[in-house]
Amino acid sequence: MESSGMESGVLAGPAPGRFPFPYTPYRIQEQFMEALYGALEAGRVGIFESPTGTGKSLSLICGALSWLRDWEEKRRQEEARLLALGAGGQDGLSPQQARLGSADAAGQPDWVTAFVQKKEERDMVDRLKEEQIRRKKREDRLEKIRHNVHLKYAAKRKRCEEDEAKRLLQLSKEALLQGAGEGALDQLDHNEEELILAEYESDDEKKVVSGLEEDDDDLEEEHVTKIYYCSRTHSQLSQFVREVQKSPFGKDTRLVALASRQNLCVNEEVRRLGALQLINDRCMEMQKNKHEKKSNEENEEKKRRVSRTVCPFYSYEQMQFLRDEILVEVQDIEQLVSLGRETKACPYYGSRFAIPAAQLVVLPYQMLLHEPTRNAAGIKLKDQVVIIDEAHNLIDTITCIHSAEVSGSQLCCAHSQLSQYMERYRKHLKAKNLMYIKQILYLLEQFVAMLGGNVNQNPGCQAVSQTGTVLKSINDFLFQSQTDNINLFKVQRYCEKSLISRKLFGFVERYGGTASAVKTNKENQKLAGLQSFLLTLQQGSDKEGTPPSPPVEAEHDQLRTASPLMQIEGFLSALTNANQDGRVILNRQGTVGQSSLKFLLLNPAVHFAKVVEECRAVIIAGGTMQPVADFREQLLCCAGVDPARIVEFSCGHVIPPENILPIILCSGPSNQQLEFTYQTRDLPQMMDETGRILCNLCNVIPGGVVCFFPSYEYEKQVYGHWENSGLLSRLAAKKKIFQEPKKANQVEQVLVEYAKCIQRCSHTGGQMTGALLLSVVGGKMSEGINFSDDLGRCVIMVGMPYPNIRSPELREKMTWLDKTMPRAAGQAPSKVLIENLCMKAVNQSIGRAIRHQKDFASVLLLDHRYTRPAIFNKLPQWIRERTQVKSAFGSAFAELRKFHRGRLDAL
């Protein structure tokens, strides 16, 4: 075990055995939990590494919830002590305190100081009493639900009765309207009023948090001390919730699983929209309609309005009930959605209303790391604990969340849609709406001009005169595009509040298919060509040059999932970053449609700073965190974290040392030195040597062999060379060869076939001993895929997967690091970055094989450069300790044959 910065006196956790665990934990799990408990108790920022297969999730759950249980108990004891003092204390002052003339160090008389102190104590006691009453009320409510199942059915029955009453009322209203005759409003089609932007009151309009208004006070609660656990994917979060359910804490932990509306929405009409942004906007619009409807109910007789849709699942009473159901029993996302359907309550808002009282909140990265999303969800980090799991890509994740890209096609398309929208509804829009629409149109026009185009012409037909990539600072970009006089913060707020992208999408949906519904000739001409123009944009940006296709359902789906203004809003938001923290990349390709503008975030620490500042403790955990220098320097120190507050913990693996054989191989069977640099890797002798190594290994390694190449292009090149030289057929005689597909939807099929082949070979025997999978570092199979047991008996890394240093984004990042970061051990920060990116990718890939305690595998690193100390020390400790360096292939081959024969005999 390796740990630094942890003083045993300060960070001592409970004695071993005090951590509830579903089985007897491994010693490394106990060490992990002790270190975690200590870091949480001392309010540290910890970087924790625990290899896959060591039970990291359970260690996190049991270690963190043990700390929370003890913390809550200490709080209760302290409350009881203070309340007892408050009950037994005297409000009067002692004669000494009341003595006139005496004063404290600040010059205040003693009696004044004592009076202030007494008042503070009384206020604290009153506050504690209120907290106790609130807590008791909540506990009684949850206990009642826990033991009274019939309450659920009573609430459901009441809801059904309300629905029926509303349905009858609606039928009556419709009958009355039909009798009244008139169905249109001021020459607008029925329901078209929904497309009109509401009057934009003020730039400083009062914010409504989490969709709550004044009448939602009963849903607001004080936030208790809690743990926020976040991970990358929906499936990882669901897996974590299932681990909590199985743990000793599963029965009495108040857990809330948060997710996007896309995952939690139970309104089928909204779900059908598909794209997340469309679902978000539609949901917000329906809420807005509900609140407007409430305020206009009194005027309903006086003023006839077109009926606006409200969400039937957004009911305060039902969401209160759902909130309590969530807190009573641990439920994952799927269970939460089922419960929402059953109770006819919105799981998205029901789960958010449960946050204050929850002890453990499980949520995706984006919801925690993106401040606007965090605030909208009602997440308060002050004095709370955050655990970020699967954090090996944390820096890249923060960078991606806060970066944005828009194409020339999208800019032109948005300009065309918005222009036509403005023309259609000009008479119905208020002055402030028109002002902001004109500002957005101007921004779009200038952005297209920066790409060398004109918004009024088809972007697919406009050739770009000066192709290439140019990087600019935010200020330079705004100045050169002549948009520096526009307040982007106000434009961003307008887009958010007015839901303009949603209105625009509705407009395109309505008139994109047919213009027959439009009344005037002038408007008819403009709108009639909208769909054909949009299709031209799509075809213009298609590099394959496919012939124009008719407006079939596929195109319609394409439009539904990508409303251009929604994308552009993200880009405008990115431009509000500080000038020094990002760059704008102008990527000018063959046509304006193919060109793009991209915002690149250079300093992810600015968006992580608030998390580490506000939280009591932050734990960054992962199976492979090496090399940790990036986290420490680029993320934590740049975010202003005191180095003394940072702790590192790395534990070994649960597998016995004899179950893994890592080898660094310096030369091949014909003594060709292995060095796969950009200059040498394309040489025929290097590709031949790689093929010979694989041929020899496939003779002695059973089951599956996974071979990682630095890129898809190089893998394709080597495969072609082997095909021509005959090496491929020699390999195929021993192992069936599979290649990693580029398309994500084909990965599952390849993996299934690969696994079936290995299983078939192990049962039938014969000359074929298994399968060889040719994969790519950073591809679909280098992360999150388990090659356990026979699926990965050997993992081979061909060369060192250094990133492409010719990439403009990477070069800009390197320049920025050299300017802002100190040199580390004499090395330039940019050089350290390149090495770290390479070794992170290597560590993720080679960690695919060993997945549990009884698993075994060999790891082969084909490049002599892995022996360099700076590189070697960036391997995970549990692999580094067992690595052998072999300068000649013969001794490496003998070692591998002995290892695999020995492991098979042991089985």
Side-chain angles (χ1 to χ4, degrees):
M1 185 189 79
E2 173 189 306
S3 77
S4 61
M6 301 184 97
E7 302 88 3
S8 56
V10 180
L11 301 184
R18 271 192 56 197
F19 291 106
F21 216 73
Y23 53 84
T24 306
Y26 304 127
R27 178 65 194 125
I28 59 168
Q29 286 179 313
E30 286 182 342
Q31 290 169 339
F32 186 100
M33 289 186 288
E34 285 161 17
L36 175 64
Y37 189 108
L40 298 181
E41 185 66 19
R44 298 296 186 87
V45 176
I47 302 170
F48 277 62
E49 182 180 54
S50 179
T52 305
T54 55
K56 171 169 57 72
S57 294
L58 262 180
S59 301
L60 281 169
I61 291 164
C62 297
L65 290 177
S66 292
W67 172 82
L68 187 62
R69 176 199 61 190
D70 293 352
W71 167 259
E72 286 175 347
E73 183 55 38
K74 277 187 274 187
R75 278 287 304 272
R76 275 193 286 272
Q77 288 173 7
E78 183 63 13
E79 277 178 22
R81 187 184 69 78
L82 289 168
L83 287 169
L85 281 174
Q90 300 298 315
D91 282 353
L93 303 178
S94 66
Q96 292 83 0
Q97 290 169 328
R99 195 183 301 128
L100 294 172
S102 63
D104 66 3
Q108 292 280 5
D110 284 348
W111 67 270
V112 173
T113 308
F115 177 80
V116 171
Q117 194 176 337
K118 279 283 179 189
K119 187 177 184 310
E120 285 174 356
E121 284 172 10
R122 277 198 302 273
D123 288 348
M124 183 186 279
V125 168
D126 289 344
R127 202 162 53 245
L128 290 174
K129 282 179 182 172
E130 279 176 28
E131 273 181 34
Q132 265 195 343
I133 291 165
R134 253 199 312 266
R135 189 166 61 235
K136 182 80 170 69
K137 195 175 168 186
R138 182 182 67 234
E139 285 168 0
D140 289 347
R141 194 176 69 232
L142 298 183
E143 199 60 29
K144 201 172 173 185
I145 288 173
R146 205 173 269 121
H147 296 295
N148 289 278
V149 181
H150 71 271
L151 280 176
K152 181 187 288 189
Y153 299 103
K156 189 178 176 184
R157 191 171 61 249
K158 188 181 176 194
R159 180 73 178 141
C160 290
E161 287 167 4
E162 285 174 2
D163 284 351
E164 184 61 18
K166 278 181 188 172
R167 192 179 69 81
L168 292 170
L169 184 65
Q170 185 61 33
L171 286 170
S172 306
K173 283 180 182 175
E174 283 171 9
L176 283 170
L177 279 172
Q178 278 172 1
E182 216 174 328
L185 177 67
D186 193 19
Q187 295 186 335
L188 290 180
D189 289 353
H190 183 66
N191 285 340
E192 196 176 355
E193 191 191 357
E194 282 202 13
L195 301 178
I196 308 282
L197 288 160
E199 185 172 359
Y200 189 62
E201 296 294 338
S202 162
D203 293 329
D204 305 310
E205 191 178 1
K206 190 182 106 180
K207 289 184 181 176
V208 176
V209 180
S210 309
L212 294 174
E213 293 208 337
E214 291 77 2
D215 54 356
D216 300 355
D217 287 340
D218 54 344
L219 291 174
E220 279 286 19
E221 279 192 65
E222 197 70 28
H223 281 246
V224 303
T225 300
K226 60 175 61 52
I227 294 162
Y228 286 99
Y229 170 90
C230 63
S231 193
R232 279 186 314 143
T233 64
H234 174 69
S235 60
Q236 285 167 342
L237 293 171
S238 291
Q239 192 179 335
F240 180 82
V241 173
R242 286 193 289 274
E243 291 283 347
V244 174
Q245 287 170 330
K246 288 188 287 185
S247 80
F249 296 91
K251 295 283 182 227
D252 53 4
T253 297
R254 298 190 301 276
L255 180 147
V256 179
L258 301 180
S260 67
R261 286 181 176 90
Q262 204 169 26
N263 288 316
L264 289 178
C265 181
V266 288
N267 185 328
E268 287 306 321
E269 180 209 325
V270 178
R271 281 175 71 87
R272 277 198 294 270
L273 292 170
L276 176 61
Q277 187 64 50
L278 295 177
I279 291 172
N280 284 345
D281 283 354
R282 183 65 179 140
C283 175
M284 296 297 287
E285 188 177 42
M286 289 171 106
Q287 275 185 64
K288 203 171 175 184
N289 292 345
K290 185 183 179 82
H291 298 311
E292 279 177 11
K293 188 179 175 185
K294 198 177 290 183
S295 63
N296 283 316
E297 264 169 7
E298 303 134 21
N299 306 327
E300 205 170 342
E301 295 303 315
K302 299 174 190 174
K303 186 178 177 183
R304 182 180 51 77
R305 299 178 58 81
V306 173
S307 171
R308 292 188 174 194
T309 316
V310 295
C311 184
F313 297 92
Y314 192 79
S315 152
Y316 301 136
E317 189 181 351
Q318 292 304 112
M319 287 191 295
Q320 273 182 309
F321 176 71
L322 182 61
R323 170 198 67 187
D324 293 343
E325 280 288 319
I326 290 165
L327 294 171
V328 161
E329 191 179 349
V330 172
Q331 311 195 49
D332 65 16
I333 303 293
E334 286 74 21
Q335 292 167 323
L336 184 54
V337 168
S338 299
L339 189 61
R341 287 200 177 103
E342 189 184 326
T343 57
K344 294 201 170 182
C346 174
Y348 179 74
Y349 282 106
S351 59
R352 282 162 65 165
F353 295 151
I355 293 172
Q359 295 165 307
L360 180 57
V361 179
V362 177
L363 69 168
Y365 275 178
Q366 287 83 345
M367 209 172 270
L368 184 101
L369 299 172
H370 188 243
E371 192 179 359
T373 309
R374 194 165 70 228
N375 293 339
I379 293 166
K380 295 178 182 174
L381 296 181
K382 185 72 179 159
D383 298 328
Q384 307 292 17
V385 169
V386 163
I387 297 174
I388 301 171
D389 200 3
E390 300 297 330
H392 53 273
N393 280 338
L394 181 59
I395 294 172
D396 292 341
T397 302
I398 298 171
T399 303
C400 286
I401 289 171
H402 296 91
S403 296
E405 185 171 14
V406 287
S407 69
S409 278
Q410 287 173 319
L411 291 166
C412 289
C413 184
H415 188 278
S416 169
Q417 290 178 4
L418 198 54
S419 301
Q420 292 172 80
Y421 176 89
M422 188 174 74
E423 283 301 315
R424 168 69 179 155
Y425 300 120
R426 185 185 286 275
K427 292 174 186 173
H428 300 271
L429 296 171
K430 301 291 182 186
K432 193 160 270 192
N433 278 317
L434 283 169
M435 179 192 82
Y436 277 113
I437 289 174
K438 283 175 181 174
Q439 282 192 356
I440 295 167
L441 287 169
Y442 176 73
L443 286 167
L444 297 173
E445 195 177 322
Q446 295 306 108
F447 291 170
V448 172
M450 286 295 282
L451 292 173
N454 184 325
V455 283
N456 297 314
Q457 294 173 24
N458 188 327
C461 303
Q462 292 184 69
V464 174
S465 53
Q466 291 181 319
T467 56
T469 303
V470 182
L471 281 95
K472 296 184 184 295
S473 69
I474 300 172
N475 288 352
D476 284 349
F477 173 76
L478 294 174
F479 179 74
Q480 287 171 29
S481 62
Q482 297 176 356
T483 54
D484 52 328
N485 58 335
I486 290 178
N487 187 329
L488 290 177
F489 289 95
K490 285 189 174 184
V491 173
Q492 183 194 352
R493 197 180 309 133
Y494 171 76
C495 292
E496 189 185 316
K497 294 283 180 188
S498 68
L499 299 175
I500 187 168
S501 56
R502 166 68 210 167
K503 304 284 184 185
L504 192 59
F505 179 77
F507 170 72
V508 174
E509 258 200 323
R510 187 177 180 84
Y511 293 119
T514 171
S516 59
V518 185
K519 304 277 194 279
T520 68
N521 286 334
K522 188 178 177 185
E523 285 168 350
N524 194 38
Q525 287 164 11
K526 286 181 179 175
L527 291 162
L530 180 57
Q531 185 183 30
S532 56
F533 175 67
L534 295 177
L535 290 176
T536 324
L537 294 187
Q538 288 165 17
Q539 290 149 14
S541 61
D542 187 356
K543 291 179 187 176
E544 300 299 318
T546 52
S549 53
V552 290
E553 192 63 30
E555 275 77 12
H556 186 57
D557 289 343
Q558 205 169 343
L559 285 177
R560 292 175 75 85
T561 54
S563 179
L565 192 59
M566 293 175 186
Q567 285 279 106
I568 292 156
E569 281 178 22
F571 181 69
L572 292 175
S573 175
L575 291 177
T576 61
N577 276 277
N579 185 53
Q580 69 273 16
D581 293 330
R583 296 287 181 273
V584 179
I585 302 168
L586 285 77
N587 185 18
R588 298 189 182 107
Q589 295 300 321
T591 65
V592 171
Q594 292 165 353
S595 303
S596 65
L597 296 174
K598 181 178 180 181
F599 174 80
L600 173 69
L601 181 71
L602 293 175
N603 184 13
V606 293
H607 294 287
F608 196 59
K610 202 158 188 182
V611 175
V612 287
E613 277 167 23
E614 291 191 345
C615 290
R616 172 196 172 86
V618 176
I619 304 298
I620 302 168
T624 309
M625 298 299 284
Q626 290 292 341
V628 296
D630 284 358
F631 296 106
R632 187 182 271 277
E633 259 92 82
Q634 278 187 55
L635 199 59
L636 302 180
C637 292
C638 280
V641 180
D642 182 350
R645 193 185 168 201
I646 303 169
V647 294
E648 288 174 30
F649 175 89
S650 177
C651 65
H653 211 294
V654 290
I655 59 159
E658 62 272 15
N659 277 23
I660 184 165
L661 177 63
I663 291 176
I664 296 172
L665 186 60
C666 300
S667 59
S670 61
N671 293 324
Q672 170 75 48
Q673 188 187 44
L674 301 176
E675 185 176 348
F676 293 85
T677 62
Y678 284 117
Q679 292 77 28
T680 60
R681 70 183 192 181
D682 296 341
L683 296 172
Q685 58 264 39
M686 287 300 290
M687 292 189 275
D688 286 339
E689 198 74 337
T690 308
R692 281 191 284 269
I693 291 168
L694 281 174
C695 279
N696 280 294
L697 295 182
C698 288
N699 283 328
V700 295
I701 296 170
V705 175
V706 185
C707 181
F708 285 101
F709 289 86
S711 67
Y712 284 104
E713 290 70 29
Y714 188 58
E715 185 267 329
K716 194 177 175 184
Q717 184 184 351
V718 171
Y719 188 89
H721 180 81
W722 289 348
E723 211 167 20
N724 295 333
S725 67
L727 265 167
L728 198 66
S729 54
R730 281 171 57 195
L731 269 172
K734 277 290 176 187
K735 304 270 187 197
K736 186 171 180 184
I737 299 168
F738 293 85
Q739 287 176 279
E740 177 177 328
K742 263 192 171 182
K743 290 182 179 174
N745 60 355
Q746 295 172 357
V747 171
E748 188 68 31
Q749 188 188 345
V750 171
L751 285 172
V752 167
E753 291 300 319
Y754 172 73
K756 275 183 185 172
C757 175
I758 292 166
Q759 201 174 16
R760 200 165 49 245
C761 291
S762 68
H763 288 149
T764 57
Q767 191 184 1
M768 190 77 82
T769 61
L772 169 64
L773 179 59
L774 305 179
S775 298
V776 175
V777 175
K780 314 289 182 300
M781 296 181 183
S782 63
E783 279 190 44
I785 305 287
N786 288 350
F787 293 111
S788 59
D789 302 318
D790 274 352
L791 293 182
R793 287 302 179 204
C794 181
V795 175
I796 300 166
M797 180 64 61
V798 177
M800 297 185 69
Y802 281 110
N804 178 11
I805 55 169
R806 290 190 290 272
S807 152
E809 289 100 325
L810 185 57
R811 283 167 66 177
E812 191 64 27
K813 178 85 175 180
M814 290 164 69
T815 306
W816 180 83
L817 282 173
D818 285 342
K819 281 180 185 171
T820 55
M821 304 285 290
R823 291 175 75 85
Q827 274 192 309
S830 55
K831 189 170 188 292
V832 174
L833 171 74
I834 295 300
E835 281 182 1
N836 287 350
L837 287 172
C838 168
M839 291 310 292
K840 269 187 196 299
V842 168
N843 294 340
Q844 275 305 306
S845 301
I846 63 178
R848 299 300 93 213
I850 302 288
R851 310 306 284 180
H852 59 85
Q853 191 186 12
K854 293 180 180 175
D855 208 353
F856 69 89
S858 52
V859 175
L860 208 58
L861 304 174
L862 305 185
D863 202 304
H864 76 95
R865 291 174 293 171
Y866 282 108
T867 60
R868 293 174 185 169
I871 300 292
F872 182 75
N873 289 331
K874 285 172 182 170
L875 287 167
Q877 188 190 351
W878 65 279
I879 288 180
R880 195 167 65 232
E881 286 170 347
R882 305 166 190 187
T883 299
Q884 298 181 24
V885 176
K886 300 289 183 184
S887 54
F889 179 74
S891 59
F893 181 74
E895 201 69 45
L896 281 160
R897 184 170 51 190
K898 180 181 158 190
F899 170 80
H900 284 283
R901 279 184 181 168
R903 291 300 89 218
L904 286 173
D905 292 345
L907 291 175

